[in-house]
Amino acid sequence: MSTTLLQTMDEQTMDEQTMDEQTMDEQTTDELDSSFGLLPPREPTTAEKMRGLPWSIFTNLTNTFFVQFTFFGSVFVLFLNQLGLDKGQIGFLLSPVHFAGLIALFVAPYTARFGYKRTFVSFYTTRKVIAAFLMITPWFAARFGPMGALYYVASVVILFALVRAIEETAYYPWVQQFVPNAIRGKYSAASSIATTASGFVAVTIASYVIGISSGYWGFQLLIGVGVLFGLVSAWASAHIPGGAPIPPARLRQTHTEPMWTTLRDANFRRYLLGASAFVLATLPLASFLPLYMREQVGLSESQVILVQTGGLLGGLASSYMWGWAADRYGSKPVMLVSVFVVLFLPLCWWAIPRHVMVSLYLALAIAFVQGIADIGWAIGAGRLFFVNVVPVERNSDYTAVHFAWIGLVAGISQLLGGQILQLSQNLAGRLLFLPLDPYTPLLLLDVSLALVALLILRNMRADNTVGVAEFAGIFFRGNPFRAMSSLVRYNLFSSSEQLTVLNTERLGWAQSALTVDELLQALHDPRFSVRFEAIISIARMRPHPRLTAALAEVLDGSEVALSVIAAWALGRVGDPAGVPSLRKALDTPYRSIRAHSIRALGQIKDYESAPHLLAGFLTETDKGLKMAYAAALGGLGYTPAIQSILEFLHSMNNPGARSELALDLARLVGKEAEFIHLQRQASSDETLALSSILSQIKRATKRATKNKGVQRAGHDMMQGEAIQQHLSSAIEKFAAGQKEAGKADLVSLIYLLPACNNGPTDQILRECALHMDGSEGEHGEYLLLAVYALAIYSKV
């Protein structure tokens, strides 16, 4: 035995050594292949990517302060205006940042060889340092005048633009690599929330500083602070994984076609054209909106900067919704709905009242909607680009062409916007109730171009699971704001079973299709109470095929407690698609499931099942199930069941059951709401309620006597002198609180009534009269039912 054990240990040791040698050989081969460019660089694992996403978000968050305080916010446009530059010159200075994107076509291969991450971090840091030179612009303005300031700022902007273009060329393929596609929408939403919140803080600070400062020192302070935040952002970006250098041999292996061949891709061309139209529609207006607010609307410089907070709040409020919707329903609906909203915003800016106190608040409201649309476009179009347009194997080519093309269009848009304003500077007057000013042509051009973008992008190939109209319709059913609030709570704040149950309940109260997936998820939660609450919440929803199918599955399942509540929920939802499962459940051995299924068929109005339900009622011996059958037959208005239900009512002693059976009979001949109203009145003061309804019957018969042209059969039959005497006597007796005497008059009245063609009502009246001569406690339902049937009989 010991010899065998030693032999086995020796064999295991030799096997391990062999495996180690093979692994070392494989690693050495991989390293050699990688060094010769035969293997691609190792892509980060999903775990590494997830660890890097917070660093990416922090990079974007801190960079927001740099963006708002330097080249890309209202501060920069107001700074240039403070230098004495005209709108054409401002448009010229805003354009190099975009035109520089053209160099992406030439530097893309080099960024890949140098490494996307290394390129980005190096040039990202460099551009922050370049921005610092803006702080000495006032010195050039004082020494060399406005033209000297123009040339100096142009030099800084051009240098900044070139460095930024190289950095952005590396960033696009890198971001496609380090963000998992499955959560790209949610990542974009989280990043947008972070940047919007920081942007709100930055704009608020900028508005305050510009408001209390004079001259240039406020602008210089903001630029300096922005540069410091930019350097922190550059440090954080170094912690994001991926972006390793690609060896030349590997590049030659993957880049076998020239970069321009990407334009053979029809979907890519359509995306470029649609995005170009959108950029032309939005960028010039966004750039010159601060001047429009100050010159035409009459806001101060600090108020102009404050208007940005409206857009930031809109983005903050909608970021999670857009990101979640893009991942769930696809990028295309999110993108197109955003473009549709943008289509109307220039008209809102045009119609805003001028030089009044309310102008600021209306501008904030429009900016809020603008922020919602802008972040929707950013998330929808961005996700569409990376998930559905750019193939991973040629991502650097596609992203370089995209960046260059959009940069060219954006640069042209800035020049075009500035020139339009220069050419229309003397425009004045009114068009109907709208003022004409130098900005009117730009606003109208924006509307036209947004419409063009919408028409182009609607034909994009994408991964959307619903159509655009269906997606937009989701937000008009139920309460979308309550739905988004409940989604955030359910996904982010359900840390315990109690909170999960509470948040699941909120999903149902929203009554919005936006919460369908979360309700289905809750329906499969391992915690029973969560599953139970999910069924109740689904019952509050409007009919939805996926929810109905899920309830049917639970009904057919093995958890009896949940099957019972699922049957009830199907009845409450009222979706006819649930009928087959409910019919099938009638044969289950569990009486509770059968009872709720029977009632549900009545609620759904499954008229085809009525004969089968009556047959079941007649043969069933269990009183609970007979109650369910009666409720279903009453709900269906199946009058052949009247006599059987009347007999069942007479046999029951339970007050609650008797009351329900009386309601079932009332449903068979009249309206449920009217009988419930009579019951509620009677519960407060029974004799007064009875006197009141009988008085209405008497007045109706008198009106019919005066107007023979509209007289009807029931009224004719109520015209007998003896009948009218008993009716008047019953009214007086009930009004005086003499219930038994009033009941006797009512019984005599019913026996005097001739039979009419309204058979079901006759049956109920005569059965009630037969049983109303007993004690009032036992036959209280008969009295109410008789008065209600009399009202139906007389066609009140």
Side-chain angles (χ1 to χ4, degrees):
M1 179 184 248
S2 60
T3 305
T4 305
L5 180 61
L6 289 173
Q7 185 178 358
T8 303
M9 292 177 62
D10 289 341
E11 290 174 355
Q12 289 178 347
T13 303
M14 290 175 66
D15 289 341
E16 291 172 359
Q17 289 175 348
T18 303
M19 291 176 62
D20 289 342
E21 290 171 0
Q22 289 176 349
T23 302
M24 292 176 64
D25 289 342
E26 290 174 359
Q27 290 176 346
T28 303
T29 303
D30 287 350
E31 290 172 0
L32 289 171
D33 287 345
S34 181
S35 65
F36 286 105
L38 299 178
L39 290 178
R42 188 184 71 86
E43 184 175 342
T45 64
T46 301
E48 290 173 335
K49 292 178 182 181
M50 297 300 292
R51 285 196 297 268
L53 293 183
W55 284 107
S56 175
I57 293 173
F58 183 71
T59 297
N60 297 335
L61 183 152
T62 48
N63 188 57
T64 301
F65 288 90
F66 173 82
V67 166
Q68 294 292 342
F69 292 165
T70 56
F71 291 100
F72 301 99
S74 299
V75 172
F76 187 57
V77 176
L78 295 174
F79 177 56
L80 297 179
N81 188 68
Q82 183 76 18
L83 291 170
L85 305 182
D86 61 37
K87 296 180 181 65
Q89 292 169 332
I90 293 174
F92 166 74
L93 290 175
L94 294 176
S95 62
V97 171
H98 306 290
F99 278 130
L102 289 169
I103 69 170
L105 299 173
F106 308 100
V107 303
Y110 299 100
T111 61
R113 288 182 60 180
F114 190 64
Y116 297 130
K117 176 178 179 178
R118 191 187 303 169
T119 303
F120 176 84
V121 174
S122 301
F123 286 86
Y124 191 64
T125 305
T126 304
R127 75 165 174 147
K128 311 302 182 188
V129 176
I130 293 172
F133 287 92
L134 286 176
M135 289 190 291
I136 61 175
T137 303
W139 180 84
F140 275 87
R143 188 172 180 84
F144 302 106
M147 291 307 296
L150 173 64
Y151 293 138
Y152 175 74
V153 174
S155 302
V156 175
V157 169
I158 290 172
L159 183 59
F160 174 87
L162 292 172
V163 173
R164 175 182 176 273
I166 298 172
E167 162 248 302
E168 291 290 300
T169 303
Y171 179 73
Y172 282 109
W174 185 29
V175 75
Q176 188 184 31
Q177 184 185 98
F178 71 74
V179 179
N181 280 336
I183 60 166
R184 191 171 293 276
K186 291 185 178 66
Y187 161 79
S188 299
S191 180
S192 296
I193 291 171
T195 55
T196 303
S198 58
F200 181 82
V201 175
V203 169
T204 304
I205 293 172
S207 176
Y208 174 76
V209 171
I210 298 301
I212 65 171
S213 64
S214 59
Y216 298 110
W217 74 263
F219 295 105
Q220 291 172 295
L221 175 63
L222 291 173
I223 292 170
V225 173
V227 169
L228 291 177
F229 272 96
L231 293 174
V232 173
S233 177
W235 167 80
S237 67
H239 295 79
I240 303 172
I246 301 177
R250 178 64 182 173
L251 280 174
R252 288 192 295 271
Q253 189 179 47
T254 56
H255 293 70
T256 57
E257 299 180 90
M259 195 175 294
W260 64 266
T261 58
T262 57
L263 298 176
R264 293 175 180 170
D265 185 339
N267 207 42
F268 184 45
R269 290 198 309 270
R270 188 174 290 113
Y271 180 87
L272 290 178
L273 291 174
S276 299
F278 186 84
V279 169
L280 289 169
T282 56
L283 190 56
L285 179 60
S287 299
F288 291 100
L289 188 62
L291 300 182
Y292 173 72
M293 290 287 102
R294 192 171 66 82
E295 296 173 1
Q296 303 299 325
V297 181
L299 303 184
S300 66
E301 287 188 344
S302 61
Q303 288 176 327
V304 167
I305 297 176
L306 192 62
V307 168
Q308 278 190 270
T309 61
L312 293 169
L313 285 174
L316 183 63
S318 60
S319 290
Y320 182 85
M321 175 191 71
W322 288 131
W324 168 87
D327 282 338
R328 175 160 296 177
Y329 300 109
S331 312
K332 185 177 177 180
V334 171
M335 177 182 66
L336 291 182
V337 168
S338 302
V339 177
F340 184 78
V341 174
V342 166
L343 181 65
F344 297 97
L345 290 175
L347 300 177
C348 296
W349 289 120
W350 189 14
I352 193 170
R354 315 293 175 91
H355 302 281
V356 293
M357 185 178 298
V358 75
S359 298
L360 174 62
Y361 303 105
L362 290 175
L364 285 168
I366 298 171
F368 181 84
V369 179
Q370 181 85 56
I372 294 174
D374 286 346
I375 203 66
W377 165 265
I379 291 175
R383 185 183 183 278
L384 179 72
F385 179 68
F386 286 113
V387 175
N388 300 110
V389 176
V390 178
V392 176
E393 62 275 8
R394 295 195 66 189
N395 60 357
S396 62
D397 288 348
Y398 273 74
T399 55
V401 172
H402 168 263
F403 183 58
W405 176 261
I406 296 300
L408 175 64
V409 173
I412 292 173
S413 74
Q414 298 287 34
L415 293 176
L416 181 64
Q419 291 305 310
I420 289 174
L421 292 177
Q422 282 294 104
L423 293 173
S424 59
Q425 60 184 333
N426 296 321
L427 181 63
R430 298 193 72 83
L431 178 64
L432 299 177
F433 62 93
L434 296 171
L436 297 175
D437 56 53
Y439 293 88
T440 303
L442 185 62
L443 292 168
L444 293 177
L445 180 64
D446 291 346
V447 174
S448 304
L449 290 170
L451 180 59
V452 171
L454 190 64
L455 294 175
I456 294 173
L457 292 171
R458 67 176 184 172
N459 295 317
M460 287 289 301
R461 292 197 313 272
D463 62 344
N464 49 298
T465 57
V466 298
V468 178
E470 183 181 354
F471 174 74
I474 290 173
F475 293 90
F476 292 96
R477 293 192 294 270
N479 188 331
F481 300 103
R482 192 171 190 175
M484 292 312 303
S485 172
S486 63
L487 286 171
V488 172
R489 289 174 180 271
Y490 179 83
N491 287 306
L492 302 181
F493 302 106
S494 296
S495 56
S496 65
E497 181 174 354
Q498 184 178 2
L499 285 175
T500 306
V501 169
L502 181 62
N503 292 329
T504 302
E505 178 187 7
R506 290 192 174 104
L507 293 173
W509 284 118
Q511 295 185 328
S512 169
L514 294 169
T515 63
V516 167
D517 284 81
E518 276 69 21
L519 285 170
L520 293 174
Q521 184 184 81
L523 200 57
H524 294 89
D525 194 278
R527 294 163 291 193
F528 176 84
S529 57
V530 176
R531 298 198 301 277
F532 191 92
E533 187 62 44
I535 297 174
I536 296 175
S537 294
I538 291 172
R540 299 189 183 103
M541 298 283 287
R542 291 175 172 82
H544 190 284
R546 294 174 64 197
L547 295 179
T548 300
L551 289 176
E553 183 180 348
V554 175
L555 176 60
D556 295 338
S558 58
E559 287 190 272
V560 177
L562 295 182
S563 296
V564 171
I565 200 71
W568 165 82
L570 283 169
R572 178 165 175 172
V573 170
D575 188 350
V579 167
S581 295
L582 290 168
R583 289 177 178 175
K584 180 181 176 182
L586 298 183
D587 297 325
T588 183
Y590 301 104
R591 287 180 294 180
S592 56
I593 297 177
R594 289 171 59 196
H596 281 290
S597 297
I598 293 166
R599 290 178 181 273
L601 288 171
Q603 290 177 292
I604 296 177
K605 307 299 181 186
D606 179 25
Y607 296 105
E608 294 181 7
S609 294
H612 178 74
L613 294 175
L614 178 57
F617 177 77
L618 295 174
T619 58
E620 184 58 60
T621 58
D622 182 270
K623 290 185 178 181
L625 287 173
K626 288 182 76 71
M627 288 292 299
Y629 279 117
L633 292 166
L636 292 172
Y638 194 60
T639 55
I642 286 180
Q643 189 58 45
S644 300
I645 296 176
L646 284 169
E647 293 172 3
F648 186 45
L649 171 63
H650 181 63
S651 68
M652 293 294 289
N653 295 317
N654 183 287
R658 292 179 63 85
S659 179
E660 184 182 354
L661 288 169
L663 173 61
D664 296 333
L665 290 164
R667 285 171 173 159
L668 288 167
V669 295
K671 296 179 180 180
E672 175 182 336
E674 294 174 351
F675 185 75
I676 293 294
H677 180 66
L678 176 60
Q679 271 192 328
R680 289 174 178 172
Q681 286 184 313
S683 64
S684 176
D685 191 330
E686 184 179 19
T687 55
L688 180 61
L690 294 172
S691 175
S692 176
I693 189 68
L694 291 173
S695 296
Q696 292 179 40
I697 295 172
K698 185 175 182 180
R699 286 194 297 270
T701 56
K702 284 184 178 180
R703 285 196 300 269
T705 303
K706 292 178 182 179
N707 189 358
K708 297 294 184 181
V710 297
Q711 195 167 330
R712 291 173 290 187
H715 291 139
D716 285 339
M717 296 177 184
M718 294 289 292
Q719 298 304 319
E721 182 178 351
I723 292 175
Q724 286 294 312
Q725 288 178 352
H726 281 297
L727 181 59
S728 298
S729 178
I731 292 171
E732 293 175 2
K733 301 278 179 64
F734 282 128
Q738 300 172 14
K739 182 176 177 180
E740 290 302 313
K743 187 193 299 184
D745 279 318
L746 191 59
V747 169
S748 300
L749 184 156
I750 293 172
Y751 283 137
L752 288 173
L753 290 174
C756 71
N757 57 4
N758 192 354
T761 308
D762 288 339
Q763 284 181 276
I764 292 175
L765 281 171
R766 298 186 189 285
E767 186 74 15
C768 289
L770 180 65
H771 296 290
M772 274 196 300
D773 55 359
S775 65
E776 61 180 74
E778 183 181 355
H779 300 294
E781 294 80 23
Y782 285 122
L783 179 57
L784 286 179
L785 192 57
V787 172
Y788 180 71
L790 189 64
I792 298 298
Y793 179 92
S794 62
K795 303 291 177 71
V796 173

Short mmCIF file of all heavy atoms in Angstrom, two decimals, residues 20-38:
data_model
loop_
_atom_site.label_atom_id
_atom_site.label_comp_id
_atom_site.label_asym_id
_atom_site.label_seq_id
_atom_site.Cartn_x
_atom_site.Cartn_y
_atom_site.Cartn_z
N ASP A 20 3.36 22.91 -15.38
CA ASP A 20 4.07 24.18 -15.18
C ASP A 20 4.94 24.50 -16.37
O ASP A 20 5.01 25.65 -16.82
CB ASP A 20 4.92 24.11 -13.90
CG ASP A 20 4.05 24.11 -12.65
OD1 ASP A 20 2.86 24.50 -12.77
OD2 ASP A 20 4.56 23.72 -11.58
N GLU A 21 5.64 23.48 -16.88
CA GLU A 21 6.52 23.72 -18.03
C GLU A 21 5.70 24.14 -19.25
O GLU A 21 6.08 25.05 -19.99
CB GLU A 21 7.32 22.45 -18.33
CG GLU A 21 8.38 22.15 -17.27
CD GLU A 21 9.00 20.78 -17.48
OE1 GLU A 21 8.59 20.09 -18.45
OE2 GLU A 21 9.87 20.40 -16.69
N GLN A 22 4.52 23.46 -19.43
CA GLN A 22 3.68 23.82 -20.57
C GLN A 22 3.16 25.23 -20.43
O GLN A 22 3.12 26.01 -21.40
CB GLN A 22 2.50 22.84 -20.67
CG GLN A 22 2.90 21.45 -21.12
CD GLN A 22 1.72 20.49 -21.11
OE1 GLN A 22 0.67 20.80 -20.57
NE2 GLN A 22 1.93 19.32 -21.67
N THR A 23 2.75 25.60 -19.19
CA THR A 23 2.24 26.96 -18.96
C THR A 23 3.32 27.99 -19.23
O THR A 23 3.09 29.01 -19.88
CB THR A 23 1.74 27.09 -17.51
OG1 THR A 23 0.72 26.12 -17.29
CG2 THR A 23 1.20 28.49 -17.26
N MET A 24 4.56 27.71 -18.75
CA MET A 24 5.67 28.63 -18.98
C MET A 24 5.96 28.75 -20.46
O MET A 24 6.23 29.84 -20.98
CB MET A 24 6.92 28.16 -18.22
CG MET A 24 6.79 28.27 -16.70
SD MET A 24 8.22 27.60 -15.84
CE MET A 24 9.50 28.72 -16.39
N ASP A 25 5.88 27.61 -21.15
CA ASP A 25 6.14 27.64 -22.60
C ASP A 25 5.08 28.49 -23.31
O ASP A 25 5.38 29.29 -24.19
CB ASP A 25 6.13 26.22 -23.18
CG ASP A 25 7.38 25.43 -22.74
OD1 ASP A 25 8.35 26.10 -22.30
OD2 ASP A 25 7.34 24.19 -22.83
N GLU A 26 3.79 28.31 -22.86
CA GLU A 26 2.71 29.08 -23.49
C GLU A 26 2.87 30.57 -23.20
O GLU A 26 2.69 31.41 -24.09
CB GLU A 26 1.36 28.59 -22.97
CG GLU A 26 1.00 27.19 -23.48
CD GLU A 26 -0.27 26.67 -22.83
OE1 GLU A 26 -0.83 27.39 -21.98
OE2 GLU A 26 -0.69 25.55 -23.15
N GLN A 27 3.21 30.92 -21.94
CA GLN A 27 3.39 32.32 -21.60
C GLN A 27 4.54 32.92 -22.38
O GLN A 27 4.47 34.04 -22.88
CB GLN A 27 3.63 32.47 -20.09
CG GLN A 27 2.39 32.15 -19.25
CD GLN A 27 2.69 32.21 -17.78
OE1 GLN A 27 3.86 32.24 -17.37
NE2 GLN A 27 1.64 32.24 -16.97
N THR A 28 5.66 32.13 -22.49
CA THR A 28 6.82 32.63 -23.23
C THR A 28 6.46 32.83 -24.69
O THR A 28 6.82 33.85 -25.31
CB THR A 28 7.99 31.63 -23.11
OG1 THR A 28 8.27 31.42 -21.73
CG2 THR A 28 9.21 32.17 -23.83
N THR A 29 5.69 31.88 -25.25
CA THR A 29 5.26 32.01 -26.65
C THR A 29 4.38 33.23 -26.83
O THR A 29 4.54 33.99 -27.80
CB THR A 29 4.50 30.74 -27.08
OG1 THR A 29 5.35 29.62 -26.89
CG2 THR A 29 4.08 30.84 -28.54
N ASP A 30 3.44 33.45 -25.88
CA ASP A 30 2.57 34.62 -25.97
C ASP A 30 3.36 35.91 -25.90
O ASP A 30 3.10 36.86 -26.64
CB ASP A 30 1.53 34.60 -24.83
CG ASP A 30 0.47 33.54 -25.07
OD1 ASP A 30 0.45 32.98 -26.19
OD2 ASP A 30 -0.33 33.28 -24.15
N GLU A 31 4.36 35.94 -25.01
CA GLU A 31 5.16 37.15 -24.88
C GLU A 31 5.94 37.41 -26.15
O GLU A 31 6.05 38.55 -26.63
CB GLU A 31 6.10 37.02 -23.68
CG GLU A 31 5.37 37.05 -22.33
CD GLU A 31 6.30 36.73 -21.18
OE1 GLU A 31 7.50 36.47 -21.45
OE2 GLU A 31 5.84 36.73 -20.03
N LEU A 32 6.51 36.32 -26.73
CA LEU A 32 7.26 36.50 -27.98
C LEU A 32 6.34 36.94 -29.11
O LEU A 32 6.66 37.86 -29.87
CB LEU A 32 7.95 35.17 -28.35
CG LEU A 32 9.14 34.77 -27.46
CD1 LEU A 32 9.57 33.35 -27.81
CD2 LEU A 32 10.29 35.75 -27.62
N ASP A 33 5.14 36.29 -29.17
CA ASP A 33 4.19 36.67 -30.21
C ASP A 33 3.76 38.12 -30.04
O ASP A 33 3.63 38.87 -31.01
CB ASP A 33 2.96 35.77 -30.17
CG ASP A 33 3.27 34.37 -30.69
OD1 ASP A 33 4.33 34.22 -31.33
OD2 ASP A 33 2.46 33.45 -30.46
N SER A 34 3.51 38.53 -28.78
CA SER A 34 3.08 39.90 -28.53
C SER A 34 4.17 40.89 -28.90
O SER A 34 3.92 41.95 -29.46
CB SER A 34 2.69 40.07 -27.05
OG SER A 34 2.27 41.37 -26.81
N SER A 35 5.44 40.51 -28.59
CA SER A 35 6.54 41.42 -28.92
C SER A 35 6.71 41.57 -30.41
O SER A 35 7.16 42.60 -30.90
CB SER A 35 7.85 40.90 -28.28
OG SER A 35 8.20 39.66 -28.87
N PHE A 36 6.35 40.54 -31.18
CA PHE A 36 6.44 40.64 -32.64
C PHE A 36 5.12 41.13 -33.26
O PHE A 36 4.98 41.17 -34.48
CB PHE A 36 6.80 39.27 -33.24
CG PHE A 36 8.25 38.91 -33.02
CD1 PHE A 36 8.60 37.95 -32.07
CD2 PHE A 36 9.26 39.55 -33.72
CE1 PHE A 36 9.92 37.62 -31.86
CE2 PHE A 36 10.58 39.22 -33.51
CZ PHE A 36 10.92 38.25 -32.57
N GLY A 37 4.17 41.49 -32.39
CA GLY A 37 2.91 42.03 -32.89
C GLY A 37 1.96 40.99 -33.44
O GLY A 37 1.07 41.32 -34.22
N LEU A 38 2.12 39.73 -33.06
CA LEU A 38 1.26 38.68 -33.59
C LEU A 38 -0.01 38.51 -32.76
O LEU A 38 -0.97 37.91 -33.22
CB LEU A 38 2.03 37.35 -33.64
CG LEU A 38 3.26 37.36 -34.54
CD1 LEU A 38 3.95 36.02 -34.46
CD2 LEU A 38 2.90 37.71 -35.98
#
